[in-house]
Amino acid sequence: MLTTFINALATSNATWVLFLDNYQAITDPEIHDSLTFLLEHLPAHLHILLATRVDPPLPLARLRAGGQLLELRTEQLRCIPEEMTRFLNEVMDLSLPQDLDVQSVTSTEGWLVGLQLMGLWLKKQPYPHEALKALHGSHRYVFDYLMEEVLSQQSEEVQAFLLQTSLLEHLSAPLCDAVTESSNSQEMLEFLERNNLFIVALDENRCWYRYQSLFAKTLRYRLERSDTAQIHALHLKASRWYAREGAINEAINHALKAHAWYETAALLEPIIQRLLWKRCELPILWQWLQQLPQEVIRIHPYLGLAYAMILFLTTSPEEAIPWLQATQEAIAVYSPAYNDVSGDVLSQNASYEKLRGEVTALEAIITSYRGADTVTLDLCSQALAYLPEEDNNARATIFLAQSLAYFAQGRAVDATCCALKASSFAQEIGDIPGAICHLSIAAYYLLLRGRLQEAHNLLQQTYQLGSAPGNFSCSAVAWANMCHAEILREWNRLDEALVLTSEGMPSEEQIELLILLSTGYLQLVRLYLSRNELDAADNVFQQRRKSPLQADSTNQLAWILAVEQVRLWIAHGELERASHWVQELEWRERPRSLFACEREGVAQARVLLAQHQPSEALGVLSFLLPHAQEMERWGNVLEMLILQALAYHMQQEEIQALSILAQAVRIAEPEGYIRIFVDEGAPMQLLLSRLKDIEQRPPHYLDTVLVAFQRGKEMLSTGSQEPDTVSVIGISSGQCAEHKIMQSLTETLSMREIEVLQLMVKGKSNQEIAKDLVIATNTAKRHVSNIFIKLGVNNRLQAVARARELGLIL
């Protein structure tokens, strides 16, 4: 629809103006994304006027930098003293002298609404000039006083109407009739409009209105001083009216304000599945659930299921499991409350079975993250038995759980197939974020299988899916970005990989993506190790320790971070800590996952090599390698072969070392692996040089890898962390245009980040930056962190120096 709208306007010769008022009321990310798309493809003769009380999540900085944004903010809208006097005299028809001491007037801070209120009060005074003088300095809360005076001048009927309807964001005659239990609301709304009593018509037909913001706040303040039970009753009437009209979101909001917990639950349950499986709607669902008493959630199975899922996404499996158990108990105990409208017993039983299947599907997902692969597969079978064939939502979840279980077992091929099935089910029901997530996981499994090119092609499909009309700026593309970043890192395109990783890290508001943090931490550590930025890698580990997410489980810690943590210790020369970690393996809890155990084994082999114990390292690797080969985990096989070659080299068994290295090269060459060799340092460079001398085939691939070794040395000697050129993200290597370092980095910093960088130059703290840019302090911190990542620095001084070097600031 949006594309059609843009195309239609593009063919028109008329000038159009689109006015969006009260935009701060918009919370749906899909609407923000659609408006962003419209702004980015704006026809030349279409102008957008947007009125809002807060900065919207739109690309304002880019528009501002391009001269496409004209802003009227508080400073521009606030009247100066001369304008205040003119407003009172000319608009409010008062005859105040021009030389009036305006201190009392300026107590309104130039706010026209306040001036209007003051003018209404002064018009009722026999001597407005003297009345204004009497206010001078004698009333600390002039604004509140005037509001009370204006309100008190209205009839009891008008006051009652104003107070009772003040809790409504928008007003219509039928809605006001329902809330006030009257039949004259249309006449009352027209009376308020005729008398300029701070009411604004929202449409030409005068069907919908709203109170001016300040006036509404004052009315609500007055209402809140009355009986709480009356306020709850008013909200409940509003909720029931909205429910009858099909406006469920508004109905839920008013039911919550009425503390009508069971009515809220009844409103939520019919829509809970849509909200639950549409990931972009999880934040609003979570906001509602947090307002409900927990005892209400416990006896409503669908609410319990939603609560458990969001806890799993935002905290840890251990937090979610008790809620799953409570939900299963509620299904058994309170099932009579879940009657279908038809009352048919067969359909009721089918509904219970479906709900039980969905709960079991989520339990399977949670269990898979804990590494209990066999239990997970059993739960998947149970869930499939409960679910009807048409429930593709839950079936997608089940196949995802199966893929995670197979992954834990190291069955990479089976894991890939299940992830692709999950994506197919998600696409069938239009769950694009889910489809992108599952495709990205399948691409990750392809990396595990050493199939970088195939994974790269699959990720291009996810980008196409996420950018299709109706899926603008889909946040789930962050999953694809993380996997794509690992491919680019392996291809030695470190700058692009860093940009993608930083873009993929979820914000605090994106609760549907917080589970991605573990992968993000892993990717950042690998990148910083490849860039030899050890302090930055240390900082990532510190951030990870503060996260309560899935990475805290034994299974997740093993396969996500074990190898990288050991590599970092060795790079720092902290061999004692690495050795202690190996000793702990003998007595601490081991992961249930065979694949996770394999990753711990690879980490152990690295420590043994660092301790100059090649024979012991070969023993560990020889035990691990056959199973990895059998399960076609060629990515891991490649790493183990490389470590074996280094071990034989350490034992001065050069023929064996080169023979095994040749096997590794044959696996790596078709996929373009580079960093897996380069990250092993000088011993590997020496072995590859010798292999090149004895190989009986064109040395193009080995030349490419050896050049990467040399380039890395040059970067370290000059203090630069960047390669000479980088390629454009999202285009195959053969088609990429090349750009210089400075241009690449300049383009990766957003306009907002450049604004933050300029304030950092002035020595401003995060709190001061947040205040100057009118953003949250946490948002300012996130921008600063992104700047560090994109500039490849670890602190503010380095960031400022790097920015000056690149010409980003003067």
Side-chain angles (χ1 to χ4, degrees), residues 218-231:
T218 303
L219 293 173
R220 289 168 193 158
Y221 173 75
R222 175 75 172 271
L223 180 65
E224 288 166 3
R225 296 168 64 185
S226 64
D227 182 13
T228 302
Q230 179 193 6
I231 297 174

Side-chain angles (χ1 to χ4, degrees), residues 118-143:
M118 178 177 284
L120 288 172
W121 180 78
L122 288 173
K123 288 180 73 172
K124 296 182 180 295
Q125 307 306 312
Y127 304 102
H129 185 191
E130 297 301 322
L132 191 59
K133 283 185 177 180
L135 283 175
H136 174 60
S138 64
H139 200 307
R140 183 179 177 184
Y141 302 103
V142 175
F143 215 55

Side-chain angles (χ1 to χ4, degrees), residues 550-765:
Q550 282 78 0
D552 288 332
S553 72
T554 304
N555 180 59
Q556 298 287 304
L557 281 172
W559 76 262
I560 288 182
L561 293 170
V563 174
E564 277 62 41
Q565 178 67 85
V566 164
R567 287 180 60 203
L568 185 58
W569 284 330
I570 294 172
H572 272 306
E574 298 177 350
L575 192 54
E576 185 176 343
R577 291 184 67 181
S579 301
H580 180 67
W581 177 84
V582 172
Q583 293 170 5
E584 287 181 343
L585 291 179
E586 298 179 1
W587 55 265
R588 69 175 173 81
E589 179 188 2
R590 298 301 300 275
R592 303 177 185 178
S593 163
L594 294 176
F595 175 65
C597 288
E598 179 180 285
R599 297 308 295 157
E600 285 188 341
V602 171
Q604 182 182 7
R606 288 186 174 276
V607 175
L608 291 169
L609 286 174
Q611 293 172 327
H612 297 283
Q613 301 180 49
S615 179
E616 289 80 357
L618 286 169
V620 172
L621 294 169
S622 297
F623 174 77
L624 298 174
L625 191 57
H627 189 262
Q629 291 172 324
E630 180 185 353
M631 293 290 106
E632 300 183 30
R633 297 192 298 274
W634 298 113
N636 284 9
V637 168
L638 182 56
E639 181 181 10
M640 287 186 262
L641 289 174
I642 288 171
L643 293 179
Q644 279 188 330
L646 290 171
Y648 282 116
H649 174 66
M650 193 176 291
Q651 292 184 155
Q652 299 183 349
E653 298 181 39
E654 294 301 303
I655 295 177
Q656 187 69 6
L658 294 175
S659 174
I660 290 177
L661 184 57
Q663 296 178 43
V665 168
R666 283 194 291 272
I667 295 172
E669 182 173 3
E671 305 298 333
Y673 278 95
I674 294 177
R675 289 311 310 187
I676 200 166
F677 296 106
V678 176
D679 288 346
E680 300 303 332
M684 179 52 58
Q685 182 182 15
L686 177 62
L687 282 175
L688 286 171
S689 297
R690 292 177 179 173
L691 182 63
K692 176 187 171 184
D693 293 338
I694 66 173
E695 282 277 89
Q696 301 298 316
R697 57 186 179 134
H700 303 309
Y701 173 65
L702 289 178
D703 283 342
T704 301
V705 177
L706 289 169
V707 166
F709 275 101
Q710 187 60 35
R711 185 172 295 171
K713 290 181 180 178
E714 291 171 358
M715 286 191 293
L716 289 175
S717 64
T718 60
S720 171
Q721 298 295 335
E722 317 296 341
D724 294 337
T725 58
V726 295
S727 303
V728 178
I729 296 173
I731 305 175
S732 64
S733 57
Q735 299 171 319
C736 287
E738 294 189 338
H739 297 270
K740 293 296 181 183
I741 307 168
M742 185 170 69
Q743 181 182 355
S744 174
L745 281 176
T746 304
E747 290 175 352
T748 62
L749 284 179
S750 68
M751 291 306 301
R752 177 63 88 185
E753 287 165 351
I754 290 176
E755 290 175 342
V756 171
L757 184 59
Q758 291 169 340
L759 294 174
M760 288 167 58
V761 173
K762 298 177 182 179
K764 296 206 172 188
S765 66

Side-chain angles (χ1 to χ4, degrees), residues 784-799:
V784 172
S785 297
N786 287 342
I787 291 169
F788 286 177
I789 291 171
K790 292 181 180 182
L791 295 183
V793 298
N794 302 320
N795 57 53
R796 287 173 177 250
L797 289 176
Q798 293 176 359

Side-chain angles (χ1 to χ4, degrees), residues 209-428:
Y209 297 83
R210 67 169 176 83
Y211 292 125
Q212 289 184 352
S213 177
L214 182 62
F215 189 55
K217 287 181 180 178
T218 303
L219 293 173
R220 289 168 193 158
Y221 173 75
R222 175 75 172 271
L223 180 65
E224 288 166 3
R225 296 168 64 185
S226 64
D227 182 13
T228 302
Q230 179 193 6
I231 297 174
H232 288 172
L234 292 171
H235 276 297
L236 188 56
K237 293 173 188 175
S239 173
R240 290 172 176 172
W241 184 88
Y242 275 120
R244 288 194 298 271
E245 296 298 314
I248 301 302
N249 285 21
E250 291 80 1
I252 291 171
N253 286 328
H254 280 289
L256 286 168
K257 291 174 183 176
H259 291 188
W261 311 129
Y262 292 97
E263 288 212 22
T264 302
L267 290 167
L268 268 171
E269 285 190 316
I271 66 168
I272 200 77
Q273 283 185 296
R274 172 178 63 81
L275 297 173
L276 196 57
W277 302 109
K278 299 288 185 182
R279 289 159 181 78
C280 60
E281 305 211 45
L282 288 179
I284 184 64
L285 176 58
W286 184 231
Q287 184 182 35
W288 287 333
L289 291 175
Q290 285 181 304
Q291 296 179 63
L292 285 173
Q294 291 192 353
E295 58 270 20
V296 174
I297 298 175
R298 289 182 186 278
I299 63 173
H300 291 83
Y302 273 117
L303 302 190
L305 174 61
Y307 203 82
M309 173 176 281
I310 297 176
L311 281 176
F312 167 65
L313 290 173
T314 58
T315 56
S316 68
E318 284 66 31
E319 293 288 333
I321 288 172
W323 282 97
L324 269 184
Q325 294 171 343
T327 301
Q328 291 166 338
E329 293 172 4
I331 293 174
V333 175
Y334 294 95
S335 57
Y338 286 82
N339 294 333
D340 286 359
V341 175
S342 65
D344 183 81
V345 175
L346 184 60
S347 64
Q348 291 176 30
N349 289 336
S351 177
Y352 299 144
E353 293 294 290
K354 180 175 181 293
L355 176 57
R356 198 182 301 275
E358 291 172 354
V359 172
T360 307
L362 179 57
E363 185 180 1
I365 284 284
I366 293 175
T367 305
S368 71
Y369 272 87
R370 303 174 79 192
D373 43 31
T374 304
V375 176
T376 298
L377 293 174
D378 289 342
L379 288 170
C380 289
S381 298
Q382 294 176 30
L384 286 171
Y386 290 132
L387 291 169
E389 291 186 5
E390 65 273 12
D391 191 352
N392 287 344
N393 268 324
R395 287 179 178 274
T397 302
I398 292 169
F399 278 107
L400 175 62
Q402 285 182 333
S403 78
L404 293 170
Y406 289 138
F407 168 68
Q409 294 178 343
R411 295 164 60 181
V413 176
D414 292 333
T416 306
C417 292
C418 287
L420 291 173
K421 286 182 181 178
S423 177
S424 178
F425 278 119
Q427 289 187 62
E428 284 183 18

Side-chain angles (χ1 to χ4, degrees), residues 432 435-437 439-440 443 455-469 471-488 493 496-497 499-501 503-504 728-732:
I432 301 303
I436 290 173
C437 166
L439 279 176
S440 302
H456 184 266
N457 294 337
L458 187 61
L459 291 173
Q460 300 314 303
Q461 295 180 31
T462 68
Y463 291 135
Q464 293 171 7
L465 199 59
S467 61
N471 304 323
F472 309 119
S473 304
C474 180
S475 61
V477 171
W479 287 89
N481 284 345
M482 289 296 182
C483 188
H484 193 185
E486 174 56 18
I487 297 173
L488 294 177
R493 292 157 62 177
E496 297 169 72
V499 171
L500 276 182
T501 304
E503 289 179 351
V728 178
I729 296 173
I731 305 175
S732 64

